[in-house]
Amino acid sequence: MLAALGSLMLGTGVVAFGVSPNLPDAAQWPVRQVVETVDAPLAEPALTASTPEFLIHQSQLTRRDDSLQALLKRLGVDDREAQSFLARDVTSRLLLTGASGKLASVTRTPEGQLKTLSVRWVDANNQRVSRLVVEQQDGGFNARLEQPTPRRLVQFGSLTIRSSFYAATDQADIPDAIAAQTVEAFSGDLDFQRDLRRGARVGLVYEAFELDGEILFAGQLLGAEIQSGQETHQAMWFRAPGKAGEFVSLDGESQRRAYLASPLAFSRVTSSYGPRIHPVFGGQKAHKGTDYGAPAGTPIRTVADGVVSFAGRQGGYGNYVVIQHPDKAATAYAHMERITVRLGQRVQQGQTIGTVGSTGTATGPNLHFEYLVKGVQTNPSRIASDPSVSTVAVAQLPGFKQESKAMREQLAMAASVALAHAQ
């Protein structure tokens, strides 16, 4: 009974609270302003020797027209002592000598006082990195030149041909040096302009060199695979003991042929060997070479080792070069804009001998290319089928099978990267 009575009292107690209608409206209450004097808060403690110094890090690329004052200003440095040291120090003069585009980084105070300066530049051709370091020490500055060793990485790349090979490499962020080596690796098998169909897939394995978390340059193309239609081409870089490296197939056959497939790395055939209507004189006439269309100034390369037997002007050929090859055959190059070899000069396969032009009897920039066997003009398409010139039985060399097996696995990984991109 007591419990029931208590529950009843608790339940009914809720309605016992309310707002009395007789209380005055709070908005009508009088307002009184109170002003009191208080002690000011304690000031923040002054910086002590143990307080970390606030520093700013900033970077800029050097420009071709830079002066020392202009570069320091862009870096936020306002330090006469530092500027004076950089101007007179012999090592520090490397800051603005040579090519522009060096990465200059400073650590400075908010007021512009220089603490450290680091300037890095890369010689990609020699795979060398240099770094100038200037530091504040004992009230002055000290400069030194370093040559740090970049870390070697193995990179995988993939691309799909949509319009051209180089356009695809640009889109896939493949370094230009690797793209050029890919063309070299398959230059005896493929004309990269004519033979790569739209949709062809390329997988690449190559060296890259990194320093301070940044890829600085590419190194050697280690392996490549090209799938175009029903054809698959594979190559890898192999260095036999005591010999120079070369591109070989994964079965050990040298990729180097006696003749390149084309005298231009990228071109289109505008007129093949055989009968045709002459573009200038009209009428049907035998065309005893192959014409390649390309922009004026495009480099022309010799398709094989040899000796220059003619270099000069010759009638309708315009600027004309003939190269005699070791197998007694010769190749000829006409309508050149510029000739960069001389009579009697020895040339190596792939060497630039001039540039595309429209000299002589020509309707526009093009290269007229001839293949002569015992002085008789022969169909140039025959040269691409000539066998390898390698004299080394690469497949039997120690270590080749292991390297070839490893490369097959790496190319499979590169192909999986390509598939992932496609999906």
Side-chain angles (χ1 to χ4, degrees):
M1 291 177 63
L2 289 174
L5 180 61
S7 300
L8 178 63
M9 293 177 66
L10 287 172
T12 56
V14 175
V15 296
F17 298 94
V19 178
S20 172
N22 297 323
L23 291 176
D25 186 358
Q28 298 177 0
W29 290 357
V31 177
R32 183 167 61 92
Q33 184 176 4
V34 179
V35 179
E36 295 182 6
T37 303
V38 297
D39 293 333
L42 293 176
E44 294 185 5
L47 294 177
T48 65
S50 61
T51 304
E53 186 178 14
F54 179 71
L55 297 175
I56 296 174
H57 303 275
Q58 195 168 341
S59 298
Q60 290 280 335
L61 293 177
T62 63
R63 301 172 183 173
R64 184 173 56 183
D65 57 348
D66 257 338
S67 64
L68 179 59
Q69 294 86 343
L71 177 60
L72 292 178
K73 183 177 181 180
R74 291 206 315 277
L75 289 167
V77 176
D78 184 12
D79 188 331
R80 290 187 178 181
E81 184 179 353
Q83 182 175 323
S84 176
F85 173 82
L86 293 172
R88 69 174 186 271
D89 181 66
V90 175
T91 303
S92 299
R93 290 175 188 169
L94 295 171
L95 172 62
L96 294 177
T97 57
S100 59
K102 299 175 182 176
L103 179 63
S105 304
V106 298
T107 301
R108 62 174 176 82
T109 66
E111 297 76 27
Q113 299 301 300
L114 181 67
K115 295 296 182 181
T116 63
L117 167 67
S118 174
V119 184
R120 189 191 69 202
W121 61 97
V122 178
D123 181 355
N125 292 329
N126 296 315
Q127 298 186 357
R128 185 172 59 192
V129 181
S130 300
R131 182 164 55 199
L132 168 68
V133 179
V134 178
E135 294 177 317
Q136 185 186 46
Q137 291 182 347
D138 301 327
F141 290 91
N142 179 55
R144 67 180 185 273
L145 182 64
E146 302 175 344
Q147 289 191 328
T149 302
R151 185 166 65 102
R152 178 184 179 272
L153 305 174
V154 175
Q155 300 280 86
F156 299 107
S158 64
L159 54 100
T160 301
I161 306 298
R162 300 301 181 194
S163 57
S164 70
F165 175 71
Y166 266 118
T169 59
D170 286 343
Q171 186 175 8
D173 292 327
I174 302 298
D176 289 345
I178 298 303
Q181 290 180 60
T182 305
V183 174
E184 177 189 348
F186 297 104
S187 59
D189 299 327
L190 296 169
D191 182 318
F192 274 67
Q193 186 71 24
R194 293 180 297 161
D195 298 336
L196 289 188
R197 301 179 182 180
R198 179 181 176 86
R201 296 195 302 272
V202 182
L204 302 169
V205 182
Y206 60 93
E207 291 178 326
F209 291 87
E210 172 266 340
L211 184 68
D212 300 331
E214 180 185 356
I215 300 295
L216 300 183
F217 51 82
Q220 180 64 52
L221 173 67
L222 302 175
E225 179 180 77
I226 298 177
Q227 296 180 348
S228 181
Q230 299 299 317
E231 294 185 353
T232 299
H233 301 269
Q234 293 179 321
M236 62 177 282
W237 181 256
F238 181 76
R239 188 189 303 275
K243 296 185 178 295
E246 64 173 324
F247 287 109
V248 299
S249 73
L250 271 60
D251 294 324
E253 180 184 351
S254 175
Q255 287 294 109
R256 188 173 186 266
R257 303 292 186 260
Y259 290 86
L260 299 179
S262 169
L264 302 180
F266 297 94
S267 62
R268 67 184 190 281
V269 175
T270 55
S271 183
S272 300
Y273 181 90
R276 68 164 182 175
I277 303 298
H278 197 281
V280 177
F281 303 113
Q284 184 166 310
K285 186 177 180 181
H287 186 230
K288 297 185 178 181
T290 299
D291 289 350
Y292 295 91
T298 300
I300 301 169
R301 58 187 184 177
T302 175
V303 296
D305 298 345
V307 177
V308 178
S309 60
F310 184 90
R313 189 92 179 184
Q314 183 161 311
Y317 284 127
N319 288 333
Y320 184 60
V321 169
V322 179
I323 297 176
Q324 193 72 39
H325 303 296
D327 61 358
K328 307 303 181 184
T331 50
Y333 311 77
H335 306 314
M336 301 169 71
E337 177 184 67
R338 189 165 59 95
I339 296 174
T340 59
V341 291
R342 64 185 184 278
L343 182 65
Q345 179 179 342
R346 289 190 175 276
V347 293
Q348 295 182 331
Q349 185 183 73
Q351 181 177 335
T352 298
I353 60 173
T355 57
V356 170
S358 54
T359 57
T361 306
T363 57
N366 77 100
L367 170 67
H368 176 75
F369 174 67
E370 293 182 353
Y371 176 49
L372 300 96
V373 178
K374 297 181 180 180
V376 178
Q377 293 152 321
T378 308
N379 190 343
S381 64
R382 286 182 49 189
I383 66 176
S385 60
D386 283 359
S388 163
V389 297
S390 177
T391 58
V392 180
V394 175
Q396 306 303 319
L397 292 176
F400 175 78
K401 290 184 179 180
Q402 289 80 3
E403 290 193 31
S404 176
K405 180 182 177 182
M407 181 51 62
R408 291 182 194 275
E409 295 172 353
Q410 290 178 318
L411 288 175
M413 293 179 66
S416 67
V417 171
L419 181 60
H421 286 176
Q423 294 175 344

